[in-house]
Amino acid sequence: MQQQSHIRKAQSCATDAQQAAQEFHAGVAQPDMALVVFFCSSEYDLDVLADEMQRLFAGVQVVGCTTAGEIGPAGCREHSLTGASFAASHFSAVSGHLEHLQQFDADTGQAFAQGLLQELHALAPHSDTDNGFALLLVDGLSRREEPVTRTFQRALGKLPLIGGSAGDAMQFVKTHVYWQGRFCSDSAILVLLTSRLPLRIFKTQNFVTTEQRLVVTEADAPSRVVREINGLPASQEYARMLGIDARDLDSARFAAWPLVLTIGGTTYVRAIQKANPDGSLTFFCAIENGLVLRLAQGADLLQNLEQTFARIRAEIGPPLLVLGCDCMGRKLEIAQSPDKQRIDEVLLQHNTVGFNTYGEQFRGVHVNQTLVGVAIGPQALETNDA
């Protein structure tokens, strides 16, 4: 079926960076593009890819990031380049690049986000922020997602923020965001977008909370390392609750048995990245002394996904595009699931384009083990223009 002219999506599985960029460009190029968003494997030659993207999309606003896996028209893949373009006839977008996240402070972050909001209002003075969103792409190894997300959402007010932390194919060495022809680390990209089309942001996660309670009794918050849980070495106590030896802890078990924090009746996953040789655990989210966590068990991911998309269809119709940020922990879980093929089909059926992340952002909170995103519907909203 031919794509709607105002949104075009594509995915190249070419292993050569220059070829991948050319194939991607051929798939998404359209007249008068307001924005191009892309997600790419960190295994590409990023210098070559950056140069070719800048050449092909000269004069176009382009943002992107590296991933722990890509989602697009070719399915859930690794070592690919995927994304979408948005026509200026139906979308208005502004974007900015914030460097030096290690020195991030709230005043600078608030001024940055508010400046972009003023740019959007100047570009589209009649736009309605109720039908817009902010997209955050952030260095996934910066460990600064919590203050950045919280500050940006506070500055943006009613405009809801979603986003994802860039990955590097689960090497955990260096992640990148793309801005104005180059890939950068220790950086964040913020995009503000409004549309004539209906939008719905969403967050979904598939787990049930157990009664097993864990108290963080020793943690190094800046490094997201927990040394003790319930007064015992963290990996040993976590493994005991799973009924296994600490030596058998791995990424698949972390994905299947995440820990959750409850705030105001809402549960947020605090996913484990790795077990360390000294018996500590490194997390993907902020963690500190005194936090009370509960062990959670993964539920039916396919059913949860189908229910989520059913709600979206009921609200805005079959989506032209779902821009999704899906946790790498979910990717690991799906890889072991007998429903893997069907899950891929559901994502394809709903025109999902996105990436596997090292963390997700939803409104003002940095989370794990979730799928967050925005769905864009097919019908233009009515306006009151004279």
Side-chain angles (χ1 to χ4, degrees):
M1 185 175 70
Q2 188 173 0
Q3 296 185 57
Q4 292 282 343
S5 60
H6 38 273
I7 300 176
R8 293 185 181 175
K9 61 188 187 298
Q11 185 170 17
S12 170
C13 298
T15 56
D16 176 76
Q18 190 173 40
Q19 181 184 349
Q22 292 170 357
E23 291 179 357
F24 174 71
H25 177 265
V28 303
Q30 58 178 313
D32 199 15
M33 290 177 278
L35 177 70
V36 172
V37 180
F38 76 90
F39 312 105
C40 68
S41 169
S42 60
E43 296 174 347
Y44 283 118
D45 184 322
L46 296 182
D47 290 334
V48 172
L49 183 60
D51 288 345
E52 190 67 2
M53 292 290 284
Q54 185 176 36
R55 183 185 73 82
L56 292 166
F57 291 99
V60 178
Q61 185 171 213
V62 181
V63 301
C65 71
T66 57
T67 78
E70 304 83 48
I71 305 166
C76 298
R77 306 296 289 262
E78 296 178 353
H79 205 126
S80 74
L81 168 62
T82 190
S85 67
F86 302 84
S89 60
H90 285 70
F91 300 90
S92 298
V94 298
S95 60
H97 174 215
L98 187 65
E99 298 182 281
H100 311 303
L101 293 186
Q102 298 311 307
Q103 286 78 51
F104 179 85
D105 66 85
D107 289 342
T108 300
Q110 181 155 334
F112 170 77
Q114 287 179 337
L116 284 178
L117 198 56
Q118 291 171 0
E119 285 185 36
L120 183 65
H121 289 156
L123 176 66
H126 301 296
S127 65
D128 183 357
T129 54
D130 286 337
N131 201 58
F133 67 97
L135 173 67
L136 173 63
L137 302 177
V138 57
D139 182 340
L141 297 177
S142 67
R143 297 174 179 163
R144 302 300 289 157
E145 294 101 323
E146 285 87 3
V148 169
T149 305
R150 182 170 58 248
T151 300
F152 284 177
Q153 184 62 83
R154 186 179 298 128
L156 295 173
K158 293 193 304 179
L159 193 70
L161 181 148
I162 61 164
S165 302
D168 65 347
M170 297 176 62
Q171 298 302 305
F172 304 110
V173 175
K174 196 169 189 178
T175 66
H176 299 81
V177 297
Y178 175 91
W179 171 255
Q180 292 189 342
R182 66 188 181 99
F183 284 95
C184 320
S185 295
D186 197 30
S187 297
I189 305 296
L190 184 63
V191 180
L192 309 186
L193 182 148
T194 64
S195 178
R196 293 173 49 199
L197 300 174
L199 308 173
R200 292 294 183 275
I201 68 164
F202 66 92
K203 174 175 77 76
T204 188
Q205 52 199 22
N206 65 304
F207 60 83
V208 291
T209 305
T210 74
E211 295 302 315
Q212 297 198 67
R213 185 170 173 269
L214 305 88
V215 179
V216 177
T217 47
E218 184 181 342
D220 179 359
S223 63
R224 297 176 173 173
V225 170
V226 173
R227 304 193 190 285
E228 288 188 0
I229 292 173
N230 297 339
L232 297 170
S235 60
Q236 177 183 320
E237 178 66 353
Y238 174 76
R240 182 191 68 79
M241 290 192 165
L242 301 190
I244 63 173
D245 191 285
R247 290 172 295 186
D248 295 327
L249 291 174
D250 57 20
S251 56
R253 286 189 169 86
F254 297 146
W257 297 89
L259 302 178
V260 299
L261 172 69
T262 302
I263 303 174
T266 302
T267 53
Y268 300 97
V269 179
R270 292 292 179 259
I272 301 170
Q273 176 185 333
K274 61 180 178 178
N276 303 309
D278 64 358
S280 64
L281 295 171
T282 298
F283 282 69
F284 279 109
C285 267
I287 211 84
E288 54 192 43
N289 288 330
L291 283 184
V292 179
L293 305 170
R294 290 190 184 275
L295 188 67
Q297 181 178 9
D300 191 325
L301 193 151
L302 173 60
Q303 182 182 53
N304 173 263
L305 190 65
E306 289 177 329
Q307 291 172 345
T308 298
F309 283 133
R311 286 193 296 271
I312 289 171
R313 290 195 308 272
E315 292 178 357
I316 64 171
L320 298 177
L321 182 77
V322 172
L323 197 61
C325 304
D326 201 13
C327 185
M328 54 153 284
R330 287 168 55 92
K331 175 187 174 181
L332 294 171
E333 183 180 351
I334 291 169
Q336 302 298 318
S337 171
D339 297 322
K340 181 181 185 304
Q341 182 175 348
R342 177 57 188 154
I343 291 168
D344 286 355
E345 291 171 355
V346 171
L347 293 171
L348 283 169
Q349 288 167 2
H350 292 87
N351 296 311
T352 307
V353 168
F355 73 111
N356 296 117
T357 75
Y358 283 178
E360 306 78 58
Q361 293 82 47
F362 187 76
R363 297 191 183 272
V365 183
H366 177 56
V367 296
N368 296 136
Q369 205 99 354
T370 65
L371 167 63
V372 307
V374 58
I376 302 175
Q379 299 299 323
L381 297 175
E382 294 183 3
T383 65
N384 296 320
D385 294 346

